[in-house]
Amino acid sequence: PAQSTVSADSATPTGTGRRRRRAPRGAQRTPTDFETVNVSGSKSLLQRARNTRSAVLFVQEHKQLPGQQIDILRRGMAGAGFHGAVAPAITGPGGGPSAGVGVFARSHLGLRKIEGTDLVINGTEVVGAAGRACLAHLLSGMSGGLLIVSLYLVADQGITSEANWSILKAVAAVLHALAMPFVIGGDWNNSPVALEESGFLQLVAGIIAHSDGGTCFSHAHGTFSNIDYFVVSESLGPGFTKIRKDPKSTTSPHSSIIG
């Protein structure tokens, strides 16, 4: 099937020319932009959080280990105006921190931990995907809200490798159990074509939402690859257009991808 390109003004009613009334202080407001970004470290994440205009961030590779490092990250994001759900990094093969994902929303937007399923631990971490998949319930965007999921697949492996397919099956199981509209923002470490051919979209009833051109630059090869993008539930597809790279992104080698 042909790919569908979609963006994240999902379920956001547009005006009809009339002047918008200002929302009361403290009232929920619908997010305008979703952003997925591999930050390659917490310093880059905090810098991005202070400068982005996006309302919801899907973060990969913050590289902060459990305990004090995560506490410091949370405080830093709060200072930038965000609250969120975080899965800590894991210890990589070389002994240093690796991976680590999070979903963050502006402080005025409601965000709830996941309850009622043993497929999620600590209210956010996907079982079977340590440091690589986490989610939260965003209480905005549409009636009943939606699930926001940050995903970081294993580099230098195909979508259907044992490690990556195990992560994707774990995410799919959670989405089925919760049965809500969803947005996954991720560093898939594979192209949209490879994801589409894998069968994952059929597992979750999802649609790929990607920008044009490359999203990550390889200094070793001098080439770009398109590996940072969204997958959204089919019900959100019609309202999800204009996925784009932020030209002001400072999160090298990955670009911030906005919808």
Side-chain angles (χ1 to χ4, degrees):
Q3 289 183 2
S4 299
T5 300
V6 290
S7 163
D9 284 329
S10 58
T12 303
T14 56
T16 57
R18 285 186 284 180
R19 188 174 181 178
R20 257 189 206 174
R21 298 175 62 186
R22 186 178 295 243
R25 179 173 295 181
Q28 287 189 358
R29 286 172 282 177
T30 303
T32 56
D33 281 328
F34 289 169
E35 176 178 338
T36 186
V37 57
N38 182 318
V39 293
S40 301
S42 63
K43 182 178 179 180
S44 177
L45 168 57
L46 295 175
Q47 181 182 19
R48 181 63 187 171
R50 288 191 292 266
N51 291 291
T52 185
R53 298 176 64 87
S54 297
V56 179
L57 301 179
F58 302 73
V59 173
Q60 302 88 44
E61 279 207 286
H62 60 65
K63 297 184 180 180
Q64 299 303 285
L65 294 169
Q68 185 178 18
Q69 289 186 358
I70 289 294
D71 292 340
I72 292 172
L73 176 64
R74 290 183 184 278
R75 290 198 296 270
M77 290 299 288
F82 286 90
H83 63 146
V86 185
I90 56 178
T91 302
S98 177
V101 292
V103 286
F104 297 91
R106 293 286 180 183
S107 299
H108 65 268
L109 297 173
L111 203 62
R112 180 180 295 166
K113 287 187 175 183
I114 304 301
E115 299 176 344
T117 175
D118 58 3
L119 300 175
V120 176
I121 58 175
N122 300 324
T124 183
E125 300 175 53
V126 176
V127 172
R132 294 188 177 273
C134 75
L135 72 164
H137 181 186
L138 180 67
L139 304 177
S140 189
M142 60 190 306
S143 177
L146 63 152
L147 298 174
I148 52 174
V149 186
S150 183
L151 178 70
Y152 177 53
L153 292 186
V154 181
D156 301 319
Q157 294 192 25
I159 286 284
T160 55
S161 72
E162 182 177 356
N164 280 337
W165 195 244
S166 175
I167 294 167
L168 291 175
K169 286 196 299 182
V171 170
V174 172
L175 296 180
H176 278 290
L178 298 176
M180 293 175 59
F182 64 85
V183 177
I184 306 172
D187 175 356
W188 303 78
N189 274 307
N190 282 267
S191 70
V193 172
L195 179 63
E196 186 169 32
E197 291 175 349
S198 73
F200 177 71
L201 299 178
Q202 288 73 26
L203 281 181
V204 299
I207 297 173
I208 296 173
H210 67 86
S211 63
D212 294 330
T215 65
C216 180
F217 182 72
S218 169
H219 293 281
H221 301 96
T223 57
F224 280 95
S225 54
N226 192 356
I227 58 176
D228 305 277
Y229 48 89
F230 298 97
V231 167
V232 304
S233 57
E234 291 175 346
S235 61
L236 299 181
F240 233 79
T241 57
K242 300 179 182 177
I243 303 297
R244 63 199 185 276
K245 292 189 292 185
D246 184 351
K248 298 181 180 179
S249 176
T250 57
T251 53
S252 177
H254 293 261
S255 296
S256 298
I257 307 303
I258 299 175

